[in-house]
């Protein structure tokens, strides 16, 4: 037996964990928060605990000759810290579990921590600092800079385009290209910083100066014309030389007139997209709000369309605040709730009860979003595609050839003048363009859906965008929810209360065996909205019980309103639509009956609770519910069954030896009793600590005594048997006590008890008779209403002990033909005949004439072979003389040989040696004497008259020999009385197979042991016969029948 000794905490067996490290490769993780919290972190912490166990074994093939445990403990501890920090950083919990259970101070501190974390990580989706804003705002700035000509915002302004054209144009070499003498796009001389006209005038001035030197006066004019012409030939596009002139005329359309001038260039700032986030609309357009509320009658407004607004205002609505219908006010509120930005809101008026979005009372505030369940959903999706890398270039080859022929003729004759012009022009042109480019685009999309299937659910949330990932983050502000109840909302299934109480009239402190513990379950549904809900019942254990799971409910049977469905680790017992209020709206109890049937392993049970739980959340908790389901628990308290007193049975040997036994001075004075406990589930108190304490819970703590008791058969009080104290060989010098046979081996070899009947005065000759013996277990610790089976238990069958220490005495004798019968005071046992030591001696002492015979001893061999000796009717010895026996008077001695076997009673008490006298074969009546011992014997008449009668009787009761004698005398007297006092009796003749029977009813009632009954004497009379050996009658209702008799009867 390797189990720990009783009361010891030593462990003989222990599971040793072996860890083998194999993974030493980098790994990327794609995990849910649930997997990290409920799997990875728990497993890592479990490994640390295993490493702390000094008996655990660690294997790592790559760490040779090193202490592996501290290395891996440091590594795993670091991993736990890393995972914890990763969760806190990447997925902060803004609705932590157990927040409302904190104290006021701790809750306030926790809320400040949550607010700080929220503020540091949340942005409005419309903010240019959000990831979407960071992607879009630079693109917007680039386009707007090109439009506004802002070189700081865009690399593609018109001015830079002019510069790029100039650089490309000038890069084309003139000397080697097919085109020669191509002017430059922009002049590069000393006048490049002047506008076109000023530069040309300056060139003309240079020419004039040169001409005046050559030819003053006219040379100045000629030089100026030449300078102007030469400059125009070298710079054919004077008006496009400078940005201002080129941009104003070409890009911005300076000089354009008319109301539709903006079709050439939008001069109003509010026409062009300037910002990703909301700005003043007079300063430019933004991504989110432009003409949604006005274009197409506001059909694309995120607030209310113009058609709907007009229709509503045309109705009979009262108290409409028109401030929220002006401009983008409604959309601003909607956008703030969906995108996470702020909107102006406040209350004005003397009682600050009138909402407003303007004025000094209106502040920029977060706008929450409230949505309800019922199947519909609100989906928000945003995506962006960005060219994150690209490059491209192109070229164009243009070939053009042109041939022209011009002919002009003119002539004049007198008054006539004629002119002729002919122009002919033809040519061809060919152009080839080739472009190459590549681009890389990045796409980012964020989608979230708000919805709930339960139409009675609603949620108030704050939405923002994670500044790091661009994903939405949510904070629940309020609402109502069910299945499951969401954090910071009103849980619709909350308010469930279960209470237990004893059923009316039940006392669960003292439950009778085979009865049930009776409880009432009282359920109150205080749900916030007074709804009926589906709950369920479970069994649970309280903190007071620290044993094995379910160990305090082993083998108990639970029924709810008679249905056997509640059990540990069993399915939920559903309670459908438990109501909350009655028709008046008042809270009302729901009451159920819980019955508990006792198991086999204990009698007192404690820390058993009944848990009322949300059925839906219980089902969810088996998978992924982040907390325990909504529940209420009530405990049944301690309840105890009054324990049946353990049983007791006789040992097999005791039962076989003493079920029916006779005790006398010839037998041992001891009855060796072995007592057993037949019930392995209900042990005696002295079994405590056996089996190393493994069965202590089955031990009855209040077995006080195990007694062996006796009384006269069916009569009187039970008396405890005695046990002798001390070791003195003289039993009469030893004190006695009531024997207690309880021991610790009643389930093994049994409890031994040697009962000395002599010491209890059974063998003093005064207590001869029949006794019954039982064993009884006495228990204590019960209440005043305990049943008999709680107070004690007795053996199923009693031992029958017949005490017989007195020798059998002859009480009557008689002669019939050749048969001589002696009746004894108790049942006798005839001895086994021995030829050399005959128990009987027969002597012929007189002739029929009365002459004495001196030597009439019958030879013992003759007695052995020719005389018949039989015990009949239990109490009688019948001696049959041979048919050729010589007539005369005989002496018959019983127990004649002291060395031979004896005639004894059931207790082996030998009858005294006694001599009886009888006459055989004489025709006349003679005097027959029986010598009792050495004294003279009374005489009885033996006759061969022509009529005679005898009787016998039946006793079907078990009251013993004393009653046997009483009934024998009574039956004989009744028979004679019936024969000679017919006047006082009613006589009936019964015909049975041709033989007449007489039935006599006594005139008085006789008191019997089991009650008062009427006695009848049935006598049959037959005619005399000369036969000496008569057949025994058949079909007689008699227990004992005397052989060879012809008259018989029965007391009924």
């Amino acid at each position: 037996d390797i189990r720990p000794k009783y009361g010891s905490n030593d462990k003989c067996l222990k599971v040793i964990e072996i860890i083998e490290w194999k993974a030493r490769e980098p790994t990327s993780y794609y995990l849910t928060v649930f997997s990290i919290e409920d799997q990875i972190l728990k497993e890592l912490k479990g490994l640390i605990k295993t490493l702390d166990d000094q008996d655990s074994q660690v294997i790592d093939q790559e760490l040779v000759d090193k202490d592996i445990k501290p290395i891996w403990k440091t590594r795993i501890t670091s991993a736990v810290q890393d995972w914890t920090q990763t969760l806190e950083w990447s997925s902060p919990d803004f609705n932590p579990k157990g927040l409302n259970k904190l104290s006021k101070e701790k809750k306030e501190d926790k809320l400040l921590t949550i607010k700080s974390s929220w503020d540091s990580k949340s942005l409005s989706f419309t903010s240019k600092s959000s990831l979407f804003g960071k992607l879009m705002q630079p693109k917007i700035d680039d386009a707007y800079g090109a439009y506004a000509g802002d070189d700081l915002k865009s690399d593609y302004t018109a001015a830079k385009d002019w510069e790029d054209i100039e650089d490309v144009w000038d890069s084309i070499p003139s000397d080697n290209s097919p085109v020669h003498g191509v002017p430059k796009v922009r002049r590069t001389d000393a006048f490049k910083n002047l506008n076109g006209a000023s530069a040309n005038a300056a060139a003309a001035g240079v020419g004039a100066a040169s001409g005046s030197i050559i030819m003053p006066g006219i040379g100045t004019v000629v030089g100026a014309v030449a300078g102007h012409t030469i400059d125009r030939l070298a710079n054919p596009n004077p008006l496009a030389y400078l940005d201002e002139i080129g941009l104003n005329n070409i890009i911005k359309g300076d000089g354009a007139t008319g109301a539709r001038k903006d079709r050439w260039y939008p001069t109003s700032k509010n026409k062009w997209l300037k910002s990703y986030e909301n700005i003043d609309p007079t300063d430019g357009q933004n991504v989110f709000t432009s003409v949604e509320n006005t274009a197409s009658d506001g059909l694309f407004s995120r607030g209310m369309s113009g058609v709907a607004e007009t229709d509503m205002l045309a109705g009979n609505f009262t108290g409409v605040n028109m401030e929220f219908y002006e401009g983008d006010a409604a959309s601003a509120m909607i956008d703030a709730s969906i995108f996470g930005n702020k909107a102006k809101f406040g209350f004005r008026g003397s009682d600050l009860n009138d909402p407003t979005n303007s004025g000094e009372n209106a502040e920029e505030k977060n706008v929450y979003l409230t949505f309800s369940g019922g199947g519909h959903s609100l989906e928000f999706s945003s995506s962006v595609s960005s060219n994150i890398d690209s490059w491209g270039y192109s070229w164009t080859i243009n070939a053009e050839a042109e041939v022209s022929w011009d002919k002009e003729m003119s002539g004049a004759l007198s008054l006539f003048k004629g002119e002729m012009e002919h122009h002919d022009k033809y040519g061809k042109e060919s152009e080839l363009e080739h472009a190459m480019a590549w681009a890389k685009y990045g796409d980012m999309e964020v989608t979230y859906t708000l919805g709930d299937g339960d139409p009675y659910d609603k949620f108030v949330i704050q939405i923002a965008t994670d500044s790091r990932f661009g994903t939405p983050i949510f904070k629940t502000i309020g609402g109502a929810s069910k299945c499951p109840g969401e954090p910071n909302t009103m849980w619709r299934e909350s308010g469930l209360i279960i209470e237990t109480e004893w059923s009316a009239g039940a006392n669960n402190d003292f439950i009778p065996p085979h009865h049930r513990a009776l409880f009432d379950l009282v359920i109150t549904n205080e749900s916030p909205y007074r709804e009926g809900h589906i709950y369920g019942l479970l069994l649970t254990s309280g903190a007071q019980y620290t044993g094995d799971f379910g160990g305090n409910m082993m083998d108990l049977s639970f029924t709810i309103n008679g249905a056997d469905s509640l059990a540990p680790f069993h399915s939920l017992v559903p309670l459908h639509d438990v109501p909350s209020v009655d028709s008046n709206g008042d809270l009302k109890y729901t009451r159920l009956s819980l019955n508990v049937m006792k198991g086999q392993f204990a009698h007192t049970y404690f820390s058993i609770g009944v848990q009322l739980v949300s059925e839906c959340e219980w089902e969810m908790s088996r998978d992924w519910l982040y907390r325990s389901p909504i529940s209420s628990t009530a405990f049944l308290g301690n309840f105890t069954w009054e324990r049946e007193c353990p049983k007791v049975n006789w040992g097999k040997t005791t039962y076989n030896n003493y079920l029916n036994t006779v005790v006398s001075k010839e037998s041992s004075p001891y009855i060796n009793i072995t007592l057993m406990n037949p019930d392995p589930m209900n042990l005696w108190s002295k079994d405590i600590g056996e089996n190393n304490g493994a069965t202590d819970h089955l031990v009855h703590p209040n077995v006080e005594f195990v007694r062996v008791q006796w009384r006269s058969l069916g009569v009187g009080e039970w008396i405890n048997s005695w046990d002798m104290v001390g070791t003195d060989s003289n039993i009469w010098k030893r004190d006695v006590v009531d024997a207690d046979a309880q021991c610790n081996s009643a389930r093994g070899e049994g409890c031994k008890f040697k009962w000395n009947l002599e010491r209890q005065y059974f063998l003093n000759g005064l207590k001869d008779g029949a006794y019954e013996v039982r064993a009884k277990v006495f228990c204590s610790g019960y209440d005043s209403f305990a049943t008999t089976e709680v107070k004690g238990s007795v053996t199923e069958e009693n031992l029958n002990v017949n005490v017989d220490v007195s020798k059998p005495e002859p009480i009557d004798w008689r002669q019939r033909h050749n048969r001589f019968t002696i009746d004894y005071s108790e049942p006798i046992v005839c001895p086994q005949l021995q030829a050399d030591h005959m128990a009987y001696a027969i002597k012929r002492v007189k002739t029929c004439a009365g002459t004495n015979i001196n030597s009439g001893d019958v030879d013992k061999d003759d007695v052995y072979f020719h005389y018949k000796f039989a015990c009949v009717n239990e109490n009688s010895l019948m001696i049959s003389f041979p048919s050729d026996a010589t007539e005369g008077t005989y002496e018959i001695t019983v127990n004649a040989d002291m060395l031979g076997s004896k005639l004894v009673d059931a207790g082996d008490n030998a009858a005294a040696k006694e001599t009886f006298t009888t006459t055989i074969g004489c025709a006349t009546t003679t005097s027959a004497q029986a010598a009792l011992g050495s004294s003279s014997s009374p005489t009885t008449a033996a006759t061969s008259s022509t009529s005679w009668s005898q009787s016998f009787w039946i006793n079907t009761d078990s009251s013993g020999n004393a009653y046997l004698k009483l009934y024998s005398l009574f039956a004989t007297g009744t028979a004679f009385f019936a024969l000679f006092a017919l006047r006082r009796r009613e006589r009936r003749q019964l015909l049975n197979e041709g033989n007449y029977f007489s039935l006599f009813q006594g005139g008085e009632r006789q008191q019997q042991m089991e009650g008062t009954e009427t006695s009848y004497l049935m006598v049959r009379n037959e005619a005399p016969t000369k036969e000496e050996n008569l057949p025994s009658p058949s079909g007689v209702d008699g227990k004992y029948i005397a052989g060879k008799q012809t008259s018989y009867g029965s007391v009924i």
Side-chain angles (χ1 to χ4, degrees), residues 750-784:
C751 296
K752 310 293 184 181
F753 168 54
K754 293 184 67 174
W755 183 21
N756 192 308
L757 299 183
E758 184 177 6
R759 186 64 179 86
Q760 200 138 10
Y761 302 109
F762 276 99
L763 306 183
N764 61 4
L766 300 177
K767 289 188 176 181
D768 278 15
Y771 297 89
E772 54 184 338
V773 180
R774 72 177 185 182
K776 181 174 182 179
V777 180
F778 289 85
C779 294
S780 62
Y782 46 81
D783 72 325
S784 56

Side-chain angles (χ1 to χ4, degrees), residues 353-528:
N353 196 38
D354 189 11
T356 181
N357 62 358
S358 62
E360 61 181 8
N361 292 331
E363 300 177 356
E364 292 285 341
K365 292 186 176 181
N366 294 316
V367 179
Y368 301 141
L369 174 63
T370 300
F371 67 93
S372 65
H376 61 277
S377 61
L378 172 65
E379 183 172 315
F380 175 84
S381 179
S382 178
S383 63
V384 63
S385 179
S386 177
N387 186 339
I388 59 177
D389 196 7
S390 64
W391 190 255
Y393 68 96
S394 65
W395 65 79
T396 301
I397 300 176
N398 182 278
E400 182 179 356
E402 181 178 300
V403 177
S404 63
W405 180 66
D406 298 329
K407 182 178 180 181
E408 296 181 4
M409 298 179 63
S410 64
L413 177 65
S414 184
L415 296 175
F416 296 95
K417 183 179 182 179
E419 294 183 355
M420 181 186 68
E421 294 184 4
H422 177 77
H423 301 280
D424 193 2
K425 186 177 182 179
Y426 61 91
K428 65 179 180 179
E429 179 179 2
S430 176
E431 182 176 286
L432 176 65
E433 181 177 2
H434 190 92
M436 290 178 291
W438 70 271
K440 181 191 292 184
Y441 289 87
D443 296 330
M444 185 172 70
E445 181 176 357
V446 173
T447 302
Y448 68 83
T449 302
L450 303 175
D452 188 280
D454 194 325
Y456 295 99
D457 282 357
K458 66 177 180 180
F459 297 90
V460 181
I461 61 173
Q462 181 180 353
I463 303 175
T465 299
D466 194 304
S467 61
R468 304 158 301 169
F469 310 116
T471 54
I473 54 177
F474 308 93
K475 183 162 63 174
T476 305
I477 306 301
S481 60
K482 169 185 175 181
C483 192
E486 299 284 357
N488 294 347
T489 65
M490 188 73 74
W491 293 355
R492 291 168 48 206
E493 290 183 302
S494 63
L496 70 168
I497 301 172
I498 186 169
E499 299 170 287
T500 62
E501 58 186 38
W502 291 357
S503 298
N507 183 355
N508 293 328
D509 285 335
F510 299 96
I511 308 169
H514 312 299
H515 286 66
R516 296 176 182 267
L518 304 178
F519 298 91
D520 285 354
L521 303 182
V522 182
I523 297 174
T524 307
N525 177 5
E526 292 185 356
S527 60

